Amino acid sequence: MAFQRMWRALGALFLIAAASAAFMAAAWAQQAVPALAGRVIDQTATLSAGDRQALDAKLAAFEQRKGTQIVVLMVPTTAPEDIAAYANRVANTWKIGRRDVGDGVLVIVAKDDRRMRIEVAKTLEGAVPDLAAARIIDQQMKPAFRNGDFAGGLMAAADQLIARIDGEALPEVASASYEQRSLMDVDWEHLILFLFFGVLIGGPILRKLMGAILGPLAAGGLGGLLAFAFTSSLVVSGIAGLLALGYTLLAKPASFSGGGGGSGHGYGSGGWSSGSSSSSSGDWGDWGGGGGFSSGGGGDFGGGGASGDW
């Protein structure tokens, strides 16, 4: 009897170990959730840059007006998961939608699988019920995808989702003052780099050309004007102007001597060399770009939505 009980216990342990190993293997085989790098993420290189920008602009304008976050993801395949499981896992990882509202929608296309899905957060299941999501897939996405018009299908789906969510009574987007909105929209990294190097080079030159008094005043005025042009903030422009004025007062006038000894590499302060400009030149190519996008941290996705194919 004891021997039989021992064998039963060993058999049970073996079954548990086998089930755990199978579960771990399945989890290991799952695709990693991609980084949330924007409102439109195309890992299949299907959409053109213009298509992505147009769709992103539509979704960004809607988010700014209504607060709801809609994200589009195109992947080659969701294997080994079906698209519903993959979409739910991605959506719950990203948590798109406002933190205190949870109003997020994920539109996912698995191009090689010829499958698509609209995943809807719980808050929006009344605005976009499963039947409505299925209708958008069948009437907007499927016909366009069959004709190879992925951008058109996604734009049409976005229009339908926006129209339905617009009719939902959601909390209003928190408003900000004009100056606050301006400051939030500023690309501070590029502005600081621009002012820093501009003052570093231009300050000593202005002092050399205009003298020890007028040069710093001109540098301060130009620095303040540039900061105001980018931020529309009197406070920020005032601080930038004072910093430019102070630096130019302390800096040595620029030397314009060419040729000998390496002095032609410097602009008076001793800290700037011709080689350093190349190290930062790569940062200027995306000046004024689309800015960052991040999750609102609120979407709770319970499996609402619909899937389809084409």
Side-chain angles (χ1 to χ4, degrees):
M1 259 333 240
F3 186 73
Q4 290 178 343
R5 284 198 299 270
M6 182 183 71
W7 274 108
R8 288 196 191 100
L10 288 174
L13 287 173
F14 176 79
L15 290 175
I16 293 172
S20 299
F23 176 79
M24 292 295 292
W28 183 262
Q30 288 178 344
Q31 292 191 46
V33 173
L36 182 59
R39 295 178 182 85
V40 182
I41 303 171
D42 179 12
Q43 297 187 333
T44 65
T46 299
L47 303 175
S48 69
D51 292 336
R52 293 194 305 272
Q53 290 169 2
L55 183 55
D56 181 87
K58 180 187 290 289
L59 300 179
F62 178 61
E63 180 182 342
Q64 185 177 18
R65 175 171 58 82
K66 188 72 173 179
T68 298
Q69 290 185 320
I70 301 175
V71 175
V72 174
L73 170 64
M74 292 189 69
V75 295
T77 179
T78 64
E81 295 173 279
D82 62 52
I83 195 167
Y86 179 78
N88 185 258
R89 184 163 62 88
V90 171
N92 277 308
T93 300
W94 283 351
K95 295 188 179 300
I96 51 180
R98 286 175 288 177
R99 184 179 301 278
D100 298 327
V101 183
D103 49 344
V105 176
L106 172 65
V107 179
I108 180 168
V109 177
K111 188 177 180 182
D112 294 348
D113 301 337
R114 301 180 70 87
R115 297 281 290 169
M116 64 274 213
R117 179 169 178 81
I118 297 175
E119 188 79 11
V120 182
K122 290 181 178 179
T123 298
L124 295 177
E125 288 180 358
V128 189
D130 295 356
L131 185 61
R135 188 177 297 117
I136 293 172
I137 288 173
D138 289 338
Q139 296 180 1
Q140 273 72 44
M141 299 174 74
K142 183 181 292 187
F145 287 8
R146 283 179 173 173
N147 293 327
D149 184 11
F150 290 90
L154 291 170
M155 289 290 279
D159 286 336
Q160 290 297 313
L161 289 168
I162 288 171
R164 297 196 67 89
I165 297 168
D166 259 335
E168 187 76 358
L170 296 173
E172 293 184 358
V173 178
S175 60
S177 67
Y178 174 79
E179 179 166 81
Q180 287 174 327
R181 290 196 302 270
S182 299
L183 291 177
M184 287 188 291
D185 291 338
V186 172
D187 188 337
W188 286 100
E189 179 182 355
H190 286 120
L191 175 59
I192 291 170
L193 283 170
F194 185 82
L195 288 173
F196 178 79
F197 288 114
V199 172
L200 192 68
I201 298 172
I205 294 175
L206 287 172
R207 179 164 176 171
K208 175 71 174 180
L209 294 174
M210 303 178 69
I213 302 299
L214 290 179
L217 290 174
L222 288 173
L225 284 173
L226 281 172
F228 184 79
F230 283 106
T231 67
S232 300
S233 170
L234 291 173
V235 175
V236 174
S237 60
I239 293 173
L242 287 174
L243 289 174
L245 172 65
Y247 171 79
T248 310
L249 280 172
L250 296 175
K252 293 187 295 183
S255 172
F256 296 105
S257 60
S263 61
H265 288 261
Y267 280 105
S269 63
W272 172 261
S273 67
S274 61
S276 63
S277 62
S278 62
S279 66
S280 61
S281 60
D283 292 333
W284 304 103
D286 59 349
W287 173 272
F293 168 76
S294 61
S295 162
D300 181 11
F301 292 80
S307 304
D309 54 20
W310 72 91

